[in-house]
Amino acid sequence: MSVFQHMSFDDHERVVFCCDPESGLKAILAVHSTELGPAAGGCRMWPYASDDEAIKDVLRLSRGMSYKNAMAGLPMGGGKAVIIGDSRKDKSEALFQALGDLVESQGGEYITAEDVGISVSDMEIVATRTQFVSGLPHDSGSAGGDPSPKTARGIFHGIKAAVAHKLGRGDLDGLTVSVQGVGHVGYYLCKDLHEAGAKLIVADINADSVQRVVNEFGAVAVTCDEILSRKADVLAPCALGGILDENTIPTLNVSIVAGGANNQLATDEDGDTLKEMGILYAPDYVINAGGIINVAYEYLNLGDDKDVMAKLEEIGGRLTEIFQAADSQGLSTNRVADAMARQRIGRAG
Ligand code: NAD
């Protein structure tokens, strides 16, 4: 399929394909919008089954970053990069140097950071070749470093707002939260939820990650096939996107879906189905903005770690606004959030 005709193309300003045989880097870099500032969004490394799958992912993620940054009130546009490769065996210093060169060649229109499959140490190599990088090691007290604990804290505030709106409760004590994927974000989310008294059900394809949250937070482990249909108050998807579709949604057994994964809905219509089923959906790019807030505060020098933590609390209020608008307009929360975001990036209508 032509990139221009792709359903998620949505007038991307730039899509760059990079192939560097010397380092093995095969990557796609997408800049959706620079209307509000340089396009910021992490880099994902994933063994995509086809180029088409990688294109679809980068376009959806990049547009999502435009929406996310706009809704978080950050002076940044939206972009993303994906590396086609397996993070467990294809990483090398040369690969991340080449990624740094690719980012540098965009002249500051795109700022990179970590996403799935990418670590802080990978970004340190990228930083040897470009200044347009964030998510780097930082001094204690300043903003920066691994964004996932901040992403998780923002989701935690979002879950509290969703619980208050849907269940009329001001705390999470004794509520059950199913967490799909207990990697970087999922682990820290489990920690915050456990400390707030929530009971946890977890699943991950990585057995060690599961064991860690079972040991540390008393989580109940279930299989990856079971997690979506387990009875719980909240489902927090924290693995990959596209998991809420016509097959999985009818099997859900929760009141709220609120988690960190990007692009949880396979289609916009899936958000409508959730609404019809009486399930409150926290739009993913609003609830999972904590990481990019941390990145923005580091990169643009907007404040220290305390300022980041204060900004994360705003995520709850922003979601409540969306939930209330969705109720009063009779629309699904994803459609209300998309309309607000598009308004902010000058693409309304
Ligand atoms: P990660 O790779 O550390 O964790 C993802 C986890 O999901 C891994 O442990 C993996 O084994 C597991 N997983 C994959 N497929 C699964 C399946 N089918 N069932 C159960 N588990 C499965 O990545 P992360 O950084 O924690 O990010 C998780 C999600 O949150 C991604 O969608 C990412 O785009 C999104 N996100 C992350 C950040 C961040 O700060 N890291 C910020 C915003 C959004």
Side-chain angles (χ1 to χ4, degrees):
M1 181 195 274
S2 144
V3 175
F4 292 107
Q5 304 300 319
H6 203 286
M7 122 190 190
S8 304
F9 181 68
D10 189 36
D11 292 337
H12 262 71
E13 291 178 13
R14 183 184 305 183
V15 181
V16 181
F17 292 81
C18 170
C19 183
D20 181 43
E22 226 166 274
S23 65
L25 179 69
K26 239 181 119 179
I28 311 173
L29 185 158
V31 171
H32 176 254
S33 167
T34 53
E35 178 67 25
L36 300 180
C43 176
R44 173 173 294 190
M45 186 166 188
W46 192 255
Y48 294 100
S50 66
D51 295 351
D52 215 39
E53 209 184 274
I55 292 167
K56 180 178 170 196
D57 206 29
V58 77
L59 293 177
R60 287 197 77 194
L61 289 165
S62 166
R63 182 180 54 183
M65 288 311 302
S66 287
Y67 291 3
K68 186 184 307 197
N69 294 336
M71 291 300 282
L74 298 171
M76 292 177 134
K80 201 88 183 183
V82 297
I83 297 176
I84 301 167
D86 188 334
S87 62
R88 288 166 304 181
K89 55 184 175 63
D90 297 334
K91 285 187 177 182
S92 68
E93 190 166 354
L95 184 104
F96 288 107
Q97 286 170 343
L99 177 68
D101 292 341
L102 172 66
V103 172
E104 181 66 18
S105 71
Q106 304 307 304
E109 295 266 286
Y110 169 68
I111 298 156
T112 200
E114 297 86 352
D115 190 56
V116 174
I118 303 284
S119 66
V120 174
S121 56
D122 301 329
M123 280 301 135
E124 285 184 272
I125 304 172
V126 171
T128 62
R129 303 296 260 257
T130 183
Q131 54 179 307
F132 307 120
V133 54
S134 192
L136 299 170
H138 62 124
D139 298 331
S140 142
S142 65
D146 177 8
S148 40
K150 301 298 191 306
T151 302
R153 181 57 58 87
I155 297 164
F156 175 70
H157 290 307
I159 290 177
K160 284 203 296 188
V163 163
H165 186 81
K166 181 77 185 168
L167 306 178
R169 287 189 47 162
D171 65 73
L172 303 181
D173 198 24
L175 290 185
T176 303
V177 183
S178 301
V179 184
Q180 182 199 39
V182 284
H184 287 93
V185 173
Y187 169 81
Y188 287 109
L189 178 63
C190 286
K191 183 170 190 291
D192 285 348
L193 290 169
H194 174 67
E195 283 166 9
K199 295 181 208 148
L200 300 168
I201 301 176
V202 299
D204 196 296
I205 50 176
N206 183 330
D208 292 342
S209 304
V210 170
Q211 201 52 50
R212 189 175 174 205
V213 291
V214 167
N215 293 347
E216 293 185 25
F217 312 129
V220 172
V222 299
T223 66
C224 291
D225 288 340
E226 275 178 280
I227 190 80
L228 294 181
S229 55
R230 282 296 285 235
K231 183 168 171 47
D233 297 293
V234 182
L235 168 68
C238 294
L240 292 183
I243 52 117
L244 298 171
D245 62 20
E246 57 188 9
N247 299 316
T248 56
I249 292 175
T251 71
L252 297 181
N253 203 353
V254 292
S255 305
I256 294 165
V257 175
N262 283 309
N263 297 330
Q264 292 167 32
L265 300 173
T267 66
D268 291 343
E269 289 71 27
D270 292 316
D272 302 335
T273 311
L274 287 173
K275 175 183 175 293
E276 282 155 24
M277 287 175 63
I279 297 174
L280 181 65
Y281 170 67
D284 44 21
Y285 56 81
V286 180
I287 195 170
N288 72 11
I292 197 70
I293 289 171
N294 192 49
V295 161
Y297 272 57
E298 172 191 358
Y299 187 80
L300 299 171
N301 229 337
L302 298 177
D304 63 13
D305 198 54
K306 266 206 252 146
D307 300 317
V308 171
M309 294 307 255
K311 182 87 178 159
L312 297 180
E313 291 186 27
E314 292 176 12
I315 289 175
R318 199 166 299 122
L319 281 168
T320 302
E321 229 180 275
I322 293 167
F323 298 153
Q324 288 171 347
D327 286 348
S328 67
Q329 295 169 31
L331 292 171
S332 54
T333 51
N334 53 304
R335 295 205 188 262
V336 167
D338 285 2
M340 284 180 178
R342 291 188 78 80
Q343 182 89 36
R344 290 184 185 198
I345 61 171
R347 295 197 186 185

